[in-house]
Every structure is written in C-alpha cells, then in structure tokens.
Amino acid sequence: MQPIISFLTFAVAASLVCAQETNSNRPAPSPHPAIELKRVPPSVDTKTIPPLLQQYDFGAQIQALQQPQGLVPPPGTPPQFASSNTDLNTAIVPKNYHPKTDVPLTPTAVEAVQVSERWRAGMNPPIPGPDGRVMYSFGAGLPTVVCAPLRVCVIELQPGEKILGVPHIGDSVRWNISPAMYGSGAEETQIIVLKPQTSGLDTNLLITTDRRAYYIRLISKPDDYVARVAFSYPDGDENHKWDQQIAAEQAAPKRINRPVEAPAVMIGVERLNFDYKVRGGNEHIRPLRVFDDGSKTFIQMPADMQHREAPALVVLGNDGKGEMANYRIQQQMYIVDRLFDRAELILGAGKKADKVEITRGKPKG
C-alpha cells in the first residue's frame, strides 16, 4: 500500500509543477522561430508500481483536467441522452421538433363548444327560498355560487339525497370544501361547505349523488357572498314522496265499512273561485282551468302532461320577483297550498323558455 500512495503523491506533484512552470516560463513572442523544447519526464521505477495501477493512463487524465473546456458542450448544442442502443453523442430529440400548443377543432367540436357556452351563459334566475336560501332551478342553466374569504357558503341538496364519492373541484388548492348534514331519516339533508382562501377565484364544482349530478360555478369576491344555495326540481322529483304515500295507501288492506272521504275539491263547492285569466304558452302547458277554494289553488293541466315534462310553477310577488310556493302534482292537477294573485308556469330556460301567466280575479261576494 505504501508504494501506491507514494506514486500517487508523485504524480499529482509532478502535474502541478509542470503546469506552474508552463505558465511562468512561457517565453515572450519574438521574430525568431521558436525552439521546440521537449520535457523529459522524470524516471519512475515501474517495478515499484502495482500491476493494477499500470493499466491507467495518468498522463491523459492530467491533460484532460488541464483542458476543461473540452468537457463543456458549445452553446446551442441539444441535450444528449444515453441509452443502451444509442451513443452519448447522438441526439434522441428529432430535429425541427416543435410541440403543439393548440389543436384545431372540427366543425362538430366547434358546435359542441358553442352549445356548452350557450348553456353556461343562459339565464337561470335565482329566487328567494325559506331560511335565506337562494333557489336555482336544477338543469335550467349553470348555477353560480359567490363566496368570500373568511365566510362560509353552503350548497344544500334535496332531502334524502346521498352524495356519491368526493366532489370534484377545479381548484382544490385555494378552495376548502367539506361535507356536513342536518336532519334525520327521510329528511336528512346533505350539504357542501365552501370556503375560498382568497378573492378573485373562478372555478367549477361537480357533485354526484344517487339522483343526479350537479355542475356549479364557484366565484370568490372580497365582500360579496351567498350564504345558502339550494335547488328546486321541476322534473317532478319533489313529488316522489307523494307518490310513495299514495302507493302505500293503495297497498294497505282496506277496512270493512270504512267511510269514504270526499276529495277536497268536492267540499264547499259554493266557495270555489274560477275567476282566473290565463295568457301565453302553447296548448301543452296552458291550463284547462284554474280555481281555488279560499285556501288552496288548483291548476288543471291537459291530459297529455303526464307524458311530457311538467313546467315549474313560480308565484310572482308584488315586486314582480319569483317566490317559492309549496305545491304538488297529482296526475294532471297542480295543488298549491296557498292563494296567489299572479303566477307563471315556466318550461325551459332563458329567452326560449315557454311561459304561461296566471292572474287571479276578485272572488265573488
């Protein structure tokens, strides 16, 4: 081991001395031709060098270290990648390769994008609901939830509706989203709690449930926010409980001599008020007649409505804005649990929506 250390020490010292003498003793340029001087390396007793070290060319390694510019590729040289089938000096990246930053759309794709944009930009006017809720008509357009930092905004689902999986949000870094619920049994309502970390955010949210999928736009403002957002369901899902109740009553065993109760519309016929005016709409959504018994309003629709999409009923207040009203549909009859002066039946969304206006007259004596 001692001869190896001695030889390495000698080789490093000799290279340093040669480099120093080369820089310090370099002759100044002269008009006479330079005399080539050959340096005679010091004699080394090769018998004292182990056979393993004799295999290495230490002179070539020292020369490479004295010329490091040979190890750096010139500017503009493409990166070289080594593999089992290519040489280090062979470039794998093809020449004149430019990655695409955009892809042209076909006419079909352009039309699809325009249809989606029209739906997102379509009017889905919210209406006030109970307990400070802002009610959107599900499926009529893109609902928007506006929230602010340091505020909690919630999205309420239909009672009894169950969330499937984790909601998908476009910006999961700057939006905090968590589940919550209230109620129990059939009235258990699941909600989504939203909190933005900063203002000026614009993203979207997808919630999948056992009944439908919600696609919602989320916006954060410095101060403006909507505390509670819920939905009305014109597709008839609100009447699912009524259908279950009717089916349960029909399946229950009938008692002998059970008194038959007369329908509500047959009680107090003398108090019925038929003084209603109907304007607008087509023959499929225009009511056949509208009347009330002093406490409830009944809207009789065409018979083919059972095989068509049912329009949503919106009661108009004194200011002309829509108000939510509790109503149910039994076969072709809307039963509204209140009286109103003006209301609208709306099918569709935006400017292309079909609307029927219903106006109540003054009751008799």
Side-chain angles (χ1 to χ4, degrees):
M1 189 67 184
Q2 185 65 27
I4 298 176
I5 297 176
S6 300
F7 176 76
L8 291 177
T9 303
F10 170 77
V12 173
S15 63
L16 294 177
V17 171
C18 292
Q20 182 176 4
E21 290 179 356
T22 302
N23 295 331
S24 60
N25 298 330
R26 181 174 297 173
S30 63
H32 302 286
I35 301 175
E36 182 180 0
L37 299 179
K38 295 184 179 180
R39 184 178 300 276
V40 179
S43 59
V44 180
D45 188 4
T46 57
K47 295 181 180 180
T48 61
I49 302 176
L52 179 61
L53 295 180
Q54 293 181 13
Q55 300 177 7
Y56 294 92
D57 189 358
F58 289 96
Q61 298 296 328
I62 295 174
Q63 184 177 2
L65 292 174
Q66 292 178 351
Q67 300 177 357
Q69 64 275 11
L71 302 177
V72 180
T77 303
Q80 308 292 327
F81 301 92
S83 64
S84 58
N85 298 327
T86 59
D87 188 74
L88 287 175
N89 297 326
T90 303
I92 295 180
V93 179
K95 294 182 179 180
N96 301 325
Y97 171 75
H98 300 286
K100 294 183 178 180
T101 58
D102 196 5
V103 178
L105 298 180
T106 63
T108 301
V110 172
E111 181 65 22
V113 171
Q114 293 176 353
V115 170
S116 180
E117 289 179 351
R118 286 194 295 268
W119 178 80
R120 296 197 305 268
M123 288 294 295
N124 187 5
I127 57 178
D131 303 330
R133 296 185 182 97
V134 174
M135 306 291 295
Y136 283 102
S137 180
F138 178 81
L142 179 63
T144 302
V145 178
V146 181
C147 202
L150 304 180
R151 303 295 185 208
V152 173
C153 302
V154 300
I155 301 174
E156 302 187 14
L157 305 183
Q158 189 178 23
E161 190 172 10
K162 304 296 183 182
I163 298 177
L164 302 179
V166 179
H168 301 270
I169 186 170
D171 186 354
S172 60
V173 176
R174 295 177 293 180
W175 284 83
N176 297 329
I177 178 173
S178 58
M181 67 178 60
Y182 67 88
S184 60
E187 296 300 321
E188 180 182 284
T189 303
Q190 297 194 356
I191 62 178
I192 303 296
V193 181
L194 300 170
K195 291 186 293 184
Q197 298 183 7
T198 184
S199 60
L201 304 179
D202 188 351
T203 186
N204 50 14
L205 174 68
L206 174 62
I207 306 172
T208 55
T209 71
D210 58 348
R211 299 179 184 177
R212 57 185 64 89
Y214 297 82
Y215 191 83
I216 305 170
R217 181 184 181 186
L218 305 180
I219 297 177
S220 65
K221 300 283 288 183
D223 300 311
D224 302 329
Y225 70 99
V226 178
R228 303 176 66 181
V229 172
F231 297 88
S232 61
Y233 305 93
D235 55 359
D237 285 345
E238 286 183 330
N239 308 301
H240 184 63
K241 296 179 183 178
W242 293 101
D243 296 337
Q244 291 180 342
Q245 180 68 22
I246 294 174
E249 291 181 356
Q250 293 177 351
K254 297 182 180 180
R255 297 180 181 179
I256 301 177
N257 298 329
R258 180 181 179 183
V260 179
E261 297 181 359
V265 295
M266 297 179 61
I267 299 176
V269 178
E270 68 279 356
R271 294 182 301 172
L272 296 181
N273 174 34
F274 290 88
D275 188 9
Y276 284 84
K277 295 181 179 180
V278 178
R279 291 192 298 269
N282 54 48
E283 67 276 8
H284 301 296
I285 65 172
R286 187 183 300 115
L288 300 178
R289 63 181 55 88
V290 181
F291 57 94
D292 67 79
D293 62 356
S295 60
K296 297 182 181 180
T297 305
F298 303 88
I299 305 174
Q300 184 179 357
M301 302 295 292
D304 63 347
M305 193 200 71
Q306 301 182 23
H307 309 289
R308 295 178 178 271
E309 182 180 359
L313 176 66
V314 178
V315 175
L316 302 179
N318 295 331
D319 55 357
K321 296 183 179 179
E323 300 177 355
M324 291 299 297
N326 292 328
Y327 68 91
R328 56 194 179 276
I329 303 176
Q330 293 183 0
Q331 295 182 355
Q332 63 187 83
M333 183 76 72
Y334 282 68
I335 304 176
V336 188
D337 296 331
R338 57 169 289 189
L339 302 179
F340 57 79
D341 294 329
R342 292 176 59 204
E344 285 184 344
L345 290 171
I346 304 175
L347 182 62
K351 297 181 179 180
K352 297 183 179 180
D354 293 329
K355 297 182 180 180
V356 175
E357 183 177 355
I358 303 174
T359 305
R360 180 175 183 261
K362 295 182 180 180
K364 299 179 180 179

